[in-house]
Amino acid sequence: MSAQPLVFQPAPAAVTPVVADKWPVDAIVALFELPFTELLYRAQQVHREHFNPSEVELATLLSIKTGGCSEDCGYCPQAARYDTGVVAEKILPLDTVLQAAREAKAQGANRFCMGAAWREPKDRDLVKVEEMVREVKALGLETCVTLGMLGQGQAERLRAAGLDYYNHNLDTAPEFYGDVISTREYQDRLDTLGRVRGAGIKVCSGGIVGMGESRLQRAGLIAQLANMDPYPESVPVNNLVQVEGTPLYGTDPIDPLEFVRTVAVARITMPKARVRLSAGRRQMGEAVQALCFVAGANSIFYGEKLLTTGNPEIDADRALLDKLGMRARGTAVDARCEIDS
Ligand code: SAM
Ligand code: DTB
Ligand code: SF4
């Protein structure tokens, strides 16, 4: 048998598999376009597969560093460049933070979220936040911080301090983002979320509606979140709190039923996430909040203040939950267990 001549074959080109998005934007728009009752029915079905529909998580916020921020987020009262009446303060001392966390726990909060008006934390600030995380966690509360963009190694430091969640919102769809913020890019936000995930911290990420975006852009925001692999464990849906002096003050508010639709679509596309009915509840009324719970919201900010603006009084929230026959997470005797994500 004659030897086969050696023929050099070019190495096959590296093939990068194209992974199709789990939730294409048009599929999300189609959900938004369902008849309202059909959409809420589907959302409630998905919700009941993974959660007890009568149970709600209570997350208390504290601004640990208020105002004087260098960024230009068009919604934010804490940006130094807007005249909103918010006075810049230094980072709070540890004992003030711990006092607030003890009070939150006494009021029945599950999670304590600490927010700072920074573009990104400096390393010397992070040392103080690490201490806060350790001590708040030791009180038996879940911990969350939102400090802006994280640099190399910072997420790992927070994780080592015991941090459970990092909040960093995408805020809106990529194509509307530039209308709202110019001092950092959408990709910067995605990079920070990648660092948080990479460090083993649970991701809390959502956005704001009612900033003048279109329905397509609301669907675009949800597509960004729902197509992350894995999607965030916590998804805050904020309704813009309009603050005089910010560029977005005076924007036409979103139709309340469109807000409810947004919550329902978040629930359907991210079935195991905690969907938080976040900022804007004070302006919302009880009936719209009740619809949001039917649509699958199962977390709220709890306590009379968000970061710088108002939130419903604790007594009003207790009365609302009572009226709806709902209970705080962890307090129900017969609570069906959450299915871990
Ligand atoms: N400075 C950090 C950052 O921007 O990532 C953390 C604090 S910042 C105040 C956290 C989030 O609060 C923002 O990303 C935005 O989604 C939300 N937020 C700020 N002002 C708001 C407003 N007026 N209405 C609704 N949500 C708001
Ligand atoms: C989130 O999604 N909403 C919260 C929290 N994460 C940090 C902040 C809402 C801020 C509302 C305006 C204010 O009170 O300053
Ligand atoms: Fe600064 Fe955060 Fe407000 Fe933007 S949202 S201005 S980064 S505090």
Side-chain angles (χ1 to χ4, degrees):
M1 215 167 65
S2 62
Q4 293 289 316
L6 279 176
V7 179
F8 277 107
Q9 298 284 348
V15 179
T16 315
V18 179
V19 183
D21 279 342
K22 194 167 177 202
W23 284 101
V25 177
D26 54 358
I28 297 179
V29 171
L31 289 176
F32 269 98
E33 287 175 353
L34 285 171
F36 189 76
T37 51
E38 177 66 28
L39 175 61
L40 261 62
Y41 177 65
R42 288 197 199 182
Q44 185 61 203
Q45 276 182 314
V46 170
H47 190 45
R48 281 163 185 264
E49 279 172 30
H50 303 289
F51 293 101
N52 179 330
S54 302
E55 165 256 60
V56 67
E57 173 187 83
L58 306 178
T60 296
L61 266 175
L62 176 70
S63 179
I64 58 165
K65 159 67 185 88
T66 303
C69 184
S70 61
E71 300 298 274
D72 72 349
C73 311
Y75 46 76
C76 187
Q78 302 199 69
R81 66 190 72 201
Y82 309 138
D83 188 7
T84 62
V86 170
V87 179
E89 291 171 14
K90 292 205 170 92
I91 189 165
L92 293 180
L94 177 63
D95 56 351
T96 308
V97 174
L98 287 180
Q99 186 54 32
R102 275 188 215 104
E103 279 163 26
K105 187 169 164 70
Q107 297 289 1
N110 305 109
R111 190 176 302 174
F112 194 67
C113 311
M114 296 165 269
W118 292 322
R119 171 184 167 83
E120 69 234 318
K122 296 190 181 76
D123 278 339
R124 67 164 187 270
D125 295 322
L126 208 61
V127 177
K128 295 182 183 161
V129 177
E130 287 169 308
E131 191 65 23
M132 292 174 189
V133 168
R134 260 187 235 108
E135 300 274 337
V136 171
K137 204 177 163 73
L139 298 176
L141 284 158
E142 285 180 348
T143 52
C144 179
V145 298
T146 179
L147 315 172
M149 294 185 284
L150 292 181
Q152 200 75 38
Q154 292 189 318
E156 284 74 12
R157 283 175 54 183
L158 289 166
R159 179 70 198 123
L163 183 68
D164 297 301
Y165 291 82
Y166 193 86
N167 167 247
H168 197 64
N169 291 336
L170 290 180
D171 279 349
T172 192
E175 59 277 18
F176 188 62
Y177 183 86
D179 289 21
V180 181
I181 299 151
S182 76
T183 47
R184 65 178 127 152
E185 304 292 317
Y186 209 79
Q187 189 58 47
D188 295 326
R189 291 183 185 253
L190 295 170
D191 291 347
T192 290
L193 293 179
R195 291 196 164 125
V196 171
R197 184 61 83 198
I201 300 170
K202 284 182 254 190
V203 171
C204 173
S205 187
I208 312 178
V209 298
M211 299 197 293
E213 75 286 343
S214 64
R215 177 179 271 185
L216 179 62
Q217 289 163 338
R218 282 187 282 281
L221 164 66
I222 292 185
Q224 289 288 326
L225 297 166
N227 288 322
M228 285 177 189
D229 188 15
Y231 54 77
E233 283 83 2
S234 259
V235 178
V237 183
N238 294 278
N239 197 349
L240 175 68
V241 178
Q242 299 206 7
V243 179
E244 204 167 345
T246 59
L248 288 181
Y249 181 71
T251 305
D252 280 345
I254 188 173
D255 181 317
L257 297 184
E258 181 70 6
F259 183 85
V260 177
R261 280 180 185 275
T262 309
V263 169
V265 172
R267 165 54 64 222
I268 293 169
T269 55
M270 293 172 273
K272 296 180 186 177
R274 280 268 161 201
V275 175
R276 184 171 309 122
L277 173 53
S278 301
R281 281 199 303 120
R282 215 166 64 158
Q283 293 72 21
M284 213 168 268
E286 290 190 341
V288 175
Q289 293 183 63
L291 280 174
C292 288
F293 294 132
V294 175
N298 60 353
S299 177
I300 56 172
F301 282 129
Y302 177 69
E304 72 272 7
K305 209 165 169 200
L306 292 165
L307 291 173
T308 64
T309 65
N311 198 41
E313 300 291 328
I314 283 187
D315 285 348
D317 275 343
R318 286 201 178 130
L320 174 62
L321 295 181
D322 259 7
K323 211 191 279 193
L324 299 174
M326 295 181 79
R327 304 164 294 243
R329 197 190 101 197
T331 58
V333 197
D334 60 343
R336 210 187 309 162
C337 283
E338 284 166 41
I339 296 169
D340 287 334
S341 33

